[in-house]
Amino acid sequence: MRRSLTLIGVAVTAALISTTPAASAGTTAGTAAATVFAPNPVQTLGRQDLTDAKDADLPVFAGAYRRVTLTDLDGTGRLAGRYVIVKSSTGKAATTVDGAFPAWHRDADQFEQVMGYYWVTTAQLYLQHLGFGSALRPVNQRQIELRIDQYGGDNSFFRDDKANISLGKGGVDDAEDAEVIVHEYGHSVQDGQVPGFGTTLESGSIGEAFGDYLAVAVTSWATGTPTLTPEACVADWDSTSYTSTAPHCLRRLDGNKHYPADVIGEVHADGEIWSRALWDIRTGLGDTRATTLIVEAQFSFTPDITFAAAAQATVDTAQRLYGTAAANTARAAFAARGIL
């Protein structure tokens, strides 16, 4: 079992539904309207003073809800589709009414179920938008099982032995923050590319870093770069339950940790060395090229890969896909962290 997060670890117009990337990507299965946070109320509202308030749907949250279109549904009226099936041990299972999911809010268990389905599917559609499954080989195009509120602590995790994700319900329920959901999906992505990935401190740190990076990349693609909160801040809604300073962040992608001086032997903390390198590649090359080469490089990883070997594989992939200038950008990012 891979523990991925720790305790350190309105309505809109129909135009939004039709132009949201997840809604507009080419799909062939069923669709249905639903209500979500996009990606979370802290980013949407720019409010660092929000608190969980025991799942209360306070008036302050009204402006954070968005009506979107769920895609790739299997047509049964449940939250089951091509890339994810949602299971929950709390509350009734979410089902459609007259072809749409009711506009549940955060005080209803079904809201988190919808969040899980929407954001896992959005993450997969983001990868396809980069060319994975068309110009490039498919990445994690399998149906995973997403378990909502079936872990009582403030933690979430991916189980590679069962290819499922569990999202916890301590503090802010983890499924209320899209970046927590997508972080966990990042582990599923790497496991799909390299079964059993993350067996050592350095490979495990790469896994946590990639999950953080993917969370930011996907949510910025789907909802736009945040303007009221720092883009590099990960899970700024979930983290309000266990951080005391603003902005609230589970972790950040733009820290200044250096290898090996700042290695402490904990995968989430050490992962910030790797995620800063990924962040700098994205800054230098833009989201599309950076994330494409980062994900493509992971096909050549091993379960126990080192920082240095993974960095060189990423540089080599940048050279193969985009040429010398891109490779130099990637190399410089890893060199700045002391990895190459």
Side-chain angles (χ1 to χ4, degrees), residues 228-286:
L228 302 177
T229 58
E231 185 184 22
C233 177
V234 181
D236 30 15
W237 170 221
D238 180 71
S239 60
T240 60
S241 294
Y242 44 81
T243 58
S244 58
T245 58
H248 298 281
C249 307
L250 170 65
R251 287 176 292 276
R252 294 186 67 117
L253 303 181
D254 58 356
N256 290 311
K257 292 183 178 180
H258 195 270
Y259 182 89
D262 293 312
V263 171
I264 67 169
E266 198 282 319
V267 292
H268 302 88
D270 295 348
E272 290 184 296
I273 302 171
W274 186 264
S275 65
R276 172 59 192 269
L278 301 187
W279 179 252
D280 287 346
I281 295 170
R282 184 174 182 262
T283 300
L285 298 180

Short mmCIF file of all heavy atoms in Angstrom, two decimals, residues 228-286:
data_model
loop_
_atom_site.label_atom_id
_atom_site.label_comp_id
_atom_site.label_asym_id
_atom_site.label_seq_id
_atom_site.Cartn_x
_atom_site.Cartn_y
_atom_site.Cartn_z
N LEU A 228 -5.81 33.76 -8.18
CA LEU A 228 -6.02 34.22 -6.80
C LEU A 228 -5.18 33.45 -5.80
O LEU A 228 -5.12 33.84 -4.63
CB LEU A 228 -7.51 34.08 -6.43
CG LEU A 228 -8.49 34.83 -7.34
CD1 LEU A 228 -9.92 34.55 -6.92
CD2 LEU A 228 -8.21 36.32 -7.32
N THR A 229 -4.55 32.39 -6.23
CA THR A 229 -3.68 31.58 -5.38
C THR A 229 -2.46 31.17 -6.20
O THR A 229 -2.51 31.18 -7.43
CB THR A 229 -4.39 30.30 -4.88
OG1 THR A 229 -4.82 29.54 -6.01
CG2 THR A 229 -5.60 30.65 -4.01
N PRO A 230 -1.34 30.79 -5.57
CA PRO A 230 -0.15 30.39 -6.34
C PRO A 230 -0.39 29.08 -7.07
O PRO A 230 -0.84 28.10 -6.48
CB PRO A 230 0.93 30.23 -5.26
CG PRO A 230 0.40 30.90 -4.04
CD PRO A 230 -1.08 30.80 -4.11
N GLU A 231 -0.08 29.04 -8.35
CA GLU A 231 -0.27 27.81 -9.12
C GLU A 231 0.57 26.67 -8.55
O GLU A 231 0.15 25.51 -8.56
CB GLU A 231 0.10 28.03 -10.59
CG GLU A 231 -0.18 26.81 -11.46
CD GLU A 231 0.25 26.98 -12.90
OE1 GLU A 231 1.14 27.83 -13.16
OE2 GLU A 231 -0.27 26.25 -13.77
N ALA A 232 1.74 26.97 -8.04
CA ALA A 232 2.66 25.93 -7.55
C ALA A 232 2.23 25.32 -6.23
O ALA A 232 2.82 24.35 -5.78
CB ALA A 232 4.06 26.52 -7.40
N CYS A 233 1.20 25.86 -5.61
CA CYS A 233 0.68 25.35 -4.34
C CYS A 233 -0.25 24.18 -4.60
O CYS A 233 -1.21 24.29 -5.36
CB CYS A 233 -0.05 26.48 -3.63
SG CYS A 233 -0.83 26.03 -2.07
N VAL A 234 0.05 23.04 -3.98
CA VAL A 234 -0.71 21.81 -4.23
C VAL A 234 -1.74 21.58 -3.13
O VAL A 234 -1.43 21.69 -1.94
CB VAL A 234 0.23 20.59 -4.30
CG1 VAL A 234 -0.55 19.31 -4.58
CG2 VAL A 234 1.31 20.81 -5.35
N ALA A 235 -2.99 21.28 -3.51
CA ALA A 235 -4.06 20.91 -2.58
C ALA A 235 -4.31 22.00 -1.55
O ALA A 235 -4.34 21.76 -0.35
CB ALA A 235 -3.75 19.57 -1.91
N ASP A 236 -4.58 23.20 -2.02
CA ASP A 236 -4.73 24.32 -1.10
C ASP A 236 -6.07 24.35 -0.37
O ASP A 236 -6.23 25.15 0.56
CB ASP A 236 -4.49 25.66 -1.81
CG ASP A 236 -4.85 25.67 -3.27
OD1 ASP A 236 -5.55 24.76 -3.75
OD2 ASP A 236 -4.41 26.59 -3.96
N TRP A 237 -6.99 23.49 -0.72
CA TRP A 237 -8.23 23.36 0.06
C TRP A 237 -8.08 22.26 1.11
O TRP A 237 -8.30 22.47 2.30
CB TRP A 237 -9.41 23.08 -0.86
CG TRP A 237 -10.73 22.70 -0.23
CD1 TRP A 237 -11.59 21.75 -0.68
CD2 TRP A 237 -11.37 23.27 0.92
NE1 TRP A 237 -12.70 21.67 0.10
CE2 TRP A 237 -12.62 22.60 1.11
CE3 TRP A 237 -11.03 24.27 1.83
CZ2 TRP A 237 -13.50 22.90 2.14
CZ3 TRP A 237 -11.92 24.57 2.86
CH2 TRP A 237 -13.12 23.89 3.02
N ASP A 238 -7.67 21.08 0.69
CA ASP A 238 -7.48 19.99 1.65
C ASP A 238 -6.53 20.39 2.77
O ASP A 238 -6.75 20.05 3.93
CB ASP A 238 -6.95 18.75 0.93
CG ASP A 238 -6.74 17.58 1.87
OD1 ASP A 238 -7.74 17.02 2.33
OD2 ASP A 238 -5.58 17.23 2.14
N SER A 239 -5.49 21.13 2.44
CA SER A 239 -4.45 21.44 3.43
C SER A 239 -4.89 22.47 4.46
O SER A 239 -4.17 22.69 5.45
CB SER A 239 -3.18 21.92 2.73
OG SER A 239 -3.42 23.08 1.95
N THR A 240 -6.04 23.10 4.29
CA THR A 240 -6.50 24.03 5.33
C THR A 240 -6.74 23.32 6.65
O THR A 240 -6.75 23.96 7.71
CB THR A 240 -7.79 24.75 4.91
OG1 THR A 240 -8.83 23.78 4.68
CG2 THR A 240 -7.58 25.57 3.64
N SER A 241 -6.92 22.01 6.62
CA SER A 241 -7.19 21.25 7.84
C SER A 241 -5.94 20.99 8.67
O SER A 241 -6.04 20.64 9.84
CB SER A 241 -7.85 19.90 7.51
OG SER A 241 -9.13 20.09 6.96
N TYR A 242 -4.75 21.13 8.07
CA TYR A 242 -3.54 20.78 8.82
C TYR A 242 -2.39 21.75 8.63
O TYR A 242 -1.25 21.43 8.99
CB TYR A 242 -3.09 19.35 8.46
CG TYR A 242 -3.11 19.01 6.99
CD1 TYR A 242 -2.09 19.39 6.14
CD2 TYR A 242 -4.19 18.32 6.45
CE1 TYR A 242 -2.12 19.09 4.80
CE2 TYR A 242 -4.23 18.01 5.10
CZ TYR A 242 -3.19 18.39 4.28
OH TYR A 242 -3.24 18.09 2.94
N THR A 243 -2.64 22.92 8.06
CA THR A 243 -1.61 23.95 7.98
C THR A 243 -2.12 25.22 8.64
O THR A 243 -3.32 25.49 8.64
CB THR A 243 -1.23 24.25 6.53
OG1 THR A 243 -2.41 24.66 5.80
CG2 THR A 243 -0.63 23.03 5.86
N SER A 244 -1.22 25.99 9.19
CA SER A 244 -1.62 27.18 9.95
C SER A 244 -1.23 28.48 9.28
O SER A 244 -1.64 29.55 9.72
CB SER A 244 -0.99 27.13 11.36
OG SER A 244 0.42 27.05 11.28
N THR A 245 -0.44 28.42 8.22
CA THR A 245 -0.02 29.64 7.54
C THR A 245 -0.60 29.69 6.14
O THR A 245 -0.85 28.66 5.51
CB THR A 245 1.52 29.71 7.45
OG1 THR A 245 2.01 28.56 6.75
CG2 THR A 245 2.13 29.75 8.85
N ALA A 246 -0.81 30.90 5.65
CA ALA A 246 -1.34 31.09 4.30
C ALA A 246 -0.22 31.55 3.37
O ALA A 246 0.67 32.30 3.79
CB ALA A 246 -2.47 32.12 4.34
N PRO A 247 -0.23 31.14 2.10
CA PRO A 247 -1.25 30.26 1.53
C PRO A 247 -1.11 28.83 2.04
O PRO A 247 -0.01 28.36 2.30
CB PRO A 247 -0.97 30.33 0.03
CG PRO A 247 0.49 30.63 -0.06
CD PRO A 247 0.78 31.54 1.09
N HIS A 248 -2.25 28.17 2.18
CA HIS A 248 -2.26 26.78 2.63
C HIS A 248 -1.84 25.88 1.47
O HIS A 248 -2.41 25.94 0.39
CB HIS A 248 -3.66 26.40 3.10
CG HIS A 248 -4.13 27.20 4.27
ND1 HIS A 248 -3.73 26.95 5.55
CD2 HIS A 248 -4.96 28.28 4.34
CE1 HIS A 248 -4.30 27.81 6.39
NE2 HIS A 248 -5.05 28.63 5.67
N CYS A 249 -0.83 25.05 1.70
CA CYS A 249 -0.34 24.14 0.67
C CYS A 249 0.04 22.82 1.30
O CYS A 249 0.71 22.80 2.34
CB CYS A 249 0.90 24.70 -0.04
SG CYS A 249 0.73 26.37 -0.72
N LEU A 250 -0.37 21.73 0.68
CA LEU A 250 0.14 20.43 1.09
C LEU A 250 1.64 20.39 0.85
O LEU A 250 2.44 20.02 1.71
CB LEU A 250 -0.55 19.33 0.30
CG LEU A 250 0.01 17.92 0.43
CD1 LEU A 250 -0.16 17.40 1.85
CD2 LEU A 250 -0.64 16.97 -0.57
N ARG A 251 2.04 20.75 -0.36
CA ARG A 251 3.43 20.93 -0.75
C ARG A 251 3.44 21.95 -1.87
O ARG A 251 2.40 22.34 -2.38
CB ARG A 251 4.04 19.60 -1.24
CG ARG A 251 4.32 18.60 -0.15
CD ARG A 251 4.84 17.28 -0.70
NE ARG A 251 3.84 16.54 -1.44
CZ ARG A 251 2.93 15.73 -0.88
NH1 ARG A 251 2.89 15.57 0.43
NH2 ARG A 251 2.05 15.08 -1.63
N ARG A 252 4.65 22.39 -2.27
CA ARG A 252 4.77 23.32 -3.39
C ARG A 252 5.73 22.74 -4.43
O ARG A 252 6.61 21.95 -4.12
CB ARG A 252 5.27 24.68 -2.92
CG ARG A 252 4.28 25.41 -2.02
CD ARG A 252 4.80 26.81 -1.72
NE ARG A 252 4.84 27.66 -2.90
CZ ARG A 252 4.13 28.78 -3.05
NH1 ARG A 252 3.30 29.16 -2.09
NH2 ARG A 252 4.25 29.50 -4.15
N LEU A 253 5.53 23.18 -5.67
CA LEU A 253 6.39 22.74 -6.76
C LEU A 253 7.58 23.67 -6.97
O LEU A 253 8.48 23.34 -7.74
CB LEU A 253 5.60 22.66 -8.07
CG LEU A 253 4.37 21.77 -8.11
CD1 LEU A 253 3.74 21.80 -9.49
CD2 LEU A 253 4.71 20.34 -7.70
N ASP A 254 7.60 24.81 -6.32
CA ASP A 254 8.62 25.83 -6.60
C ASP A 254 9.57 26.06 -5.43
O ASP A 254 10.11 27.15 -5.26
CB ASP A 254 7.95 27.15 -6.99
CG ASP A 254 7.00 27.68 -5.92
OD1 ASP A 254 6.78 26.99 -4.89
OD2 ASP A 254 6.46 28.79 -6.10
N GLY A 255 9.81 25.02 -4.63
CA GLY A 255 10.75 25.14 -3.52
C GLY A 255 12.19 25.15 -3.99
O GLY A 255 12.49 25.01 -5.18
N ASN A 256 13.11 25.27 -3.04
CA ASN A 256 14.53 25.39 -3.38
C ASN A 256 15.38 24.27 -2.80
O ASN A 256 16.58 24.45 -2.59
CB ASN A 256 15.06 26.75 -2.92
CG ASN A 256 14.49 27.89 -3.75
OD1 ASN A 256 14.51 27.84 -4.96
ND2 ASN A 256 13.98 28.91 -3.07
N LYS A 257 14.80 23.11 -2.58
CA LYS A 257 15.57 22.00 -2.05
C LYS A 257 16.60 21.52 -3.07
O LYS A 257 16.38 21.59 -4.27
CB LYS A 257 14.64 20.86 -1.64
CG LYS A 257 13.77 21.18 -0.44
CD LYS A 257 12.91 19.99 -0.03
CE LYS A 257 12.08 20.30 1.20
NZ LYS A 257 11.25 19.15 1.62
N HIS A 258 17.72 20.99 -2.53
CA HIS A 258 18.84 20.60 -3.36
C HIS A 258 19.31 19.21 -2.95
O HIS A 258 19.28 18.85 -1.78
CB HIS A 258 19.98 21.60 -3.19
CG HIS A 258 21.05 21.53 -4.22
ND1 HIS A 258 22.16 20.73 -4.10
CD2 HIS A 258 21.17 22.17 -5.42
CE1 HIS A 258 22.93 20.88 -5.17
NE2 HIS A 258 22.36 21.74 -5.99
N TYR A 259 19.71 18.44 -3.97
CA TYR A 259 20.20 17.08 -3.75
C TYR A 259 21.72 17.10 -3.67
O TYR A 259 22.37 17.75 -4.48
CB TYR A 259 19.74 16.19 -4.91
CG TYR A 259 20.13 14.74 -4.80
CD1 TYR A 259 19.29 13.84 -4.15
CD2 TYR A 259 21.32 14.27 -5.35
CE1 TYR A 259 19.63 12.49 -4.06
CE2 TYR A 259 21.66 12.93 -5.26
CZ TYR A 259 20.82 12.05 -4.61
OH TYR A 259 21.15 10.73 -4.51
N PRO A 260 22.34 16.38 -2.71
CA PRO A 260 21.73 15.53 -1.68
C PRO A 260 21.55 16.23 -0.33
O PRO A 260 21.09 15.61 0.62
CB PRO A 260 22.73 14.39 -1.56
CG PRO A 260 24.05 15.06 -1.78
CD PRO A 260 23.80 16.15 -2.79
N ALA A 261 21.90 17.52 -0.25
CA ALA A 261 21.94 18.19 1.04
C ALA A 261 20.60 18.18 1.76
O ALA A 261 20.55 18.08 2.99
CB ALA A 261 22.42 19.63 0.86
N ASP A 262 19.49 18.26 1.01
CA ASP A 262 18.17 18.39 1.63
C ASP A 262 17.40 17.08 1.69
O ASP A 262 16.20 17.09 2.02
CB ASP A 262 17.35 19.45 0.88
CG ASP A 262 17.93 20.85 1.06
OD1 ASP A 262 18.22 21.21 2.20
OD2 ASP A 262 18.10 21.55 0.04
N VAL A 263 18.05 15.98 1.40
CA VAL A 263 17.39 14.67 1.51
C VAL A 263 17.24 14.32 2.99
O VAL A 263 18.21 14.36 3.75
CB VAL A 263 18.21 13.57 0.79
CG1 VAL A 263 17.64 12.19 1.10
CG2 VAL A 263 18.22 13.84 -0.71
N ILE A 264 16.00 13.99 3.40
CA ILE A 264 15.77 13.62 4.80
C ILE A 264 15.27 12.19 4.95
O ILE A 264 15.04 11.72 6.05
CB ILE A 264 14.79 14.59 5.48
CG1 ILE A 264 13.38 14.47 4.88
CG2 ILE A 264 15.30 16.02 5.42
CD1 ILE A 264 12.32 15.21 5.68
N GLY A 265 15.06 11.49 3.84
CA GLY A 265 14.63 10.11 3.93
C GLY A 265 13.14 9.92 4.02
O GLY A 265 12.67 8.88 4.48
N GLU A 266 12.36 10.88 3.57
CA GLU A 266 10.89 10.79 3.57
C GLU A 266 10.42 11.17 2.17
O GLU A 266 10.77 12.22 1.65
CB GLU A 266 10.29 11.70 4.62
CG GLU A 266 8.84 11.37 5.01
CD GLU A 266 7.83 11.85 3.98
OE1 GLU A 266 8.01 12.98 3.47
OE2 GLU A 266 6.88 11.10 3.67
N VAL A 267 9.62 10.30 1.55
CA VAL A 267 9.34 10.45 0.12
C VAL A 267 8.61 11.73 -0.25
O VAL A 267 8.87 12.31 -1.31
CB VAL A 267 8.57 9.23 -0.43
CG1 VAL A 267 9.45 8.00 -0.43
CG2 VAL A 267 7.29 8.98 0.35
N HIS A 268 7.71 12.19 0.60
CA HIS A 268 6.97 13.41 0.25
C HIS A 268 7.88 14.62 0.30
O HIS A 268 7.86 15.48 -0.59
CB HIS A 268 5.78 13.60 1.20
CG HIS A 268 4.83 12.45 1.21
ND1 HIS A 268 4.98 11.38 2.05
CD2 HIS A 268 3.72 12.21 0.47
CE1 HIS A 268 4.00 10.52 1.83
NE2 HIS A 268 3.23 11.00 0.87
N ALA A 269 8.70 14.70 1.35
CA ALA A 269 9.62 15.82 1.49
C ALA A 269 10.71 15.78 0.42
O ALA A 269 11.00 16.79 -0.24
CB ALA A 269 10.24 15.81 2.89
N ASP A 270 11.31 14.62 0.22
CA ASP A 270 12.37 14.51 -0.78
C ASP A 270 11.83 14.67 -2.19
O ASP A 270 12.56 15.08 -3.11
CB ASP A 270 13.10 13.18 -0.63
CG ASP A 270 13.83 13.06 0.70
OD1 ASP A 270 13.97 14.09 1.40
OD2 ASP A 270 14.27 11.94 1.04
N GLY A 271 10.57 14.35 -2.38
CA GLY A 271 9.96 14.54 -3.69
C GLY A 271 9.96 15.98 -4.15
O GLY A 271 9.90 16.26 -5.35
N GLU A 272 10.01 16.92 -3.21
CA GLU A 272 10.02 18.33 -3.59
C GLU A 272 11.29 18.72 -4.35
O GLU A 272 11.31 19.74 -5.05
CB GLU A 272 9.83 19.21 -2.37
CG GLU A 272 8.42 19.13 -1.79
CD GLU A 272 8.20 20.07 -0.63
OE1 GLU A 272 8.85 19.89 0.43
OE2 GLU A 272 7.36 20.98 -0.76
N ILE A 273 12.34 17.92 -4.23
CA ILE A 273 13.54 18.16 -5.04
C ILE A 273 13.21 17.86 -6.50
O ILE A 273 13.50 18.66 -7.40
CB ILE A 273 14.71 17.28 -4.56
CG1 ILE A 273 15.02 17.55 -3.08
CG2 ILE A 273 15.95 17.52 -5.42
CD1 ILE A 273 16.01 16.57 -2.47
N TRP A 274 12.59 16.71 -6.72
CA TRP A 274 12.25 16.29 -8.09
C TRP A 274 11.16 17.18 -8.69
O TRP A 274 11.24 17.57 -9.86
CB TRP A 274 11.82 14.83 -8.09
CG TRP A 274 11.60 14.25 -9.44
CD1 TRP A 274 10.41 14.14 -10.11
CD2 TRP A 274 12.59 13.71 -10.32
NE1 TRP A 274 10.59 13.56 -11.33
CE2 TRP A 274 11.93 13.28 -11.49
CE3 TRP A 274 13.97 13.54 -10.22
CZ2 TRP A 274 12.59 12.70 -12.56
CZ3 TRP A 274 14.64 12.96 -11.28
CH2 TRP A 274 13.95 12.55 -12.44
N SER A 275 10.14 17.50 -7.91
CA SER A 275 9.03 18.28 -8.47
C SER A 275 9.47 19.67 -8.88
O SER A 275 8.93 20.24 -9.83
CB SER A 275 7.86 18.34 -7.49
OG SER A 275 8.19 19.03 -6.31
N ARG A 276 10.46 20.25 -8.17
CA ARG A 276 10.95 21.56 -8.60
C ARG A 276 11.62 21.46 -9.96
O ARG A 276 11.48 22.36 -10.80
CB ARG A 276 11.93 22.14 -7.57
CG ARG A 276 12.64 23.42 -8.02
CD ARG A 276 11.64 24.56 -8.35
NE ARG A 276 12.30 25.65 -9.05
CZ ARG A 276 12.86 26.71 -8.43
NH1 ARG A 276 12.85 26.78 -7.10
NH2 ARG A 276 13.42 27.67 -9.12
N ALA A 277 12.34 20.38 -10.21
CA ALA A 277 12.95 20.21 -11.53
C ALA A 277 11.86 20.10 -12.61
O ALA A 277 11.98 20.72 -13.68
CB ALA A 277 13.84 18.97 -11.54
N LEU A 278 10.81 19.34 -12.33
CA LEU A 278 9.71 19.23 -13.29
C LEU A 278 9.05 20.60 -13.52
O LEU A 278 8.71 20.95 -14.65
CB LEU A 278 8.67 18.23 -12.80
CG LEU A 278 9.14 16.79 -12.55
CD1 LEU A 278 7.95 15.89 -12.23
CD2 LEU A 278 9.94 16.24 -13.71
N TRP A 279 8.89 21.35 -12.45
CA TRP A 279 8.29 22.68 -12.54
C TRP A 279 9.13 23.59 -13.44
O TRP A 279 8.60 24.33 -14.27
CB TRP A 279 8.18 23.27 -11.14
CG TRP A 279 7.61 24.64 -11.04
CD1 TRP A 279 8.28 25.79 -10.75
CD2 TRP A 279 6.23 25.03 -11.21
NE1 TRP A 279 7.42 26.86 -10.72
CE2 TRP A 279 6.15 26.42 -11.00
CE3 TRP A 279 5.07 24.31 -11.51
CZ2 TRP A 279 4.96 27.11 -11.08
CZ3 TRP A 279 3.87 25.02 -11.60
CH2 TRP A 279 3.82 26.39 -11.38
N ASP A 280 10.47 23.51 -13.29
CA ASP A 280 11.34 24.35 -14.11
C ASP A 280 11.32 23.92 -15.58
O ASP A 280 11.41 24.77 -16.48
CB ASP A 280 12.77 24.29 -13.58
CG ASP A 280 12.94 25.06 -12.28
OD1 ASP A 280 12.03 25.85 -11.93
OD2 ASP A 280 13.96 24.87 -11.59
N ILE A 281 11.18 22.62 -15.84
CA ILE A 281 11.04 22.17 -17.22
C ILE A 281 9.75 22.73 -17.82
O ILE A 281 9.73 23.21 -18.96
CB ILE A 281 11.07 20.63 -17.30
CG1 ILE A 281 12.43 20.10 -16.87
CG2 ILE A 281 10.73 20.15 -18.71
CD1 ILE A 281 12.47 18.58 -16.69
N ARG A 282 8.68 22.68 -17.04
CA ARG A 282 7.39 23.22 -17.51
C ARG A 282 7.48 24.72 -17.76
O ARG A 282 6.93 25.25 -18.74
CB ARG A 282 6.30 22.90 -16.49
CG ARG A 282 4.89 23.31 -16.88
CD ARG A 282 3.92 22.77 -15.84
NE ARG A 282 2.53 23.06 -16.14
CZ ARG A 282 1.84 24.07 -15.61
NH1 ARG A 282 2.43 24.91 -14.77
NH2 ARG A 282 0.57 24.24 -15.92
N THR A 283 8.17 25.43 -16.86
CA THR A 283 8.34 26.87 -17.04
C THR A 283 9.13 27.17 -18.31
O THR A 283 8.81 28.12 -19.04
CB THR A 283 9.07 27.46 -15.82
OG1 THR A 283 8.29 27.23 -14.64
CG2 THR A 283 9.28 28.96 -15.98
N GLY A 284 10.13 26.35 -18.60
CA GLY A 284 10.97 26.59 -19.75
C GLY A 284 10.38 26.17 -21.08
O GLY A 284 10.61 26.82 -22.10
N LEU A 285 9.59 25.11 -21.06
CA LEU A 285 9.09 24.53 -22.32
C LEU A 285 7.59 24.70 -22.54
O LEU A 285 7.09 24.42 -23.62
CB LEU A 285 9.44 23.04 -22.39
CG LEU A 285 10.93 22.69 -22.38
CD1 LEU A 285 11.10 21.17 -22.45
CD2 LEU A 285 11.67 23.36 -23.52
N GLY A 286 6.87 25.12 -21.51
CA GLY A 286 5.42 25.17 -21.60
C GLY A 286 4.81 23.84 -21.19
O GLY A 286 5.47 22.80 -21.21
#
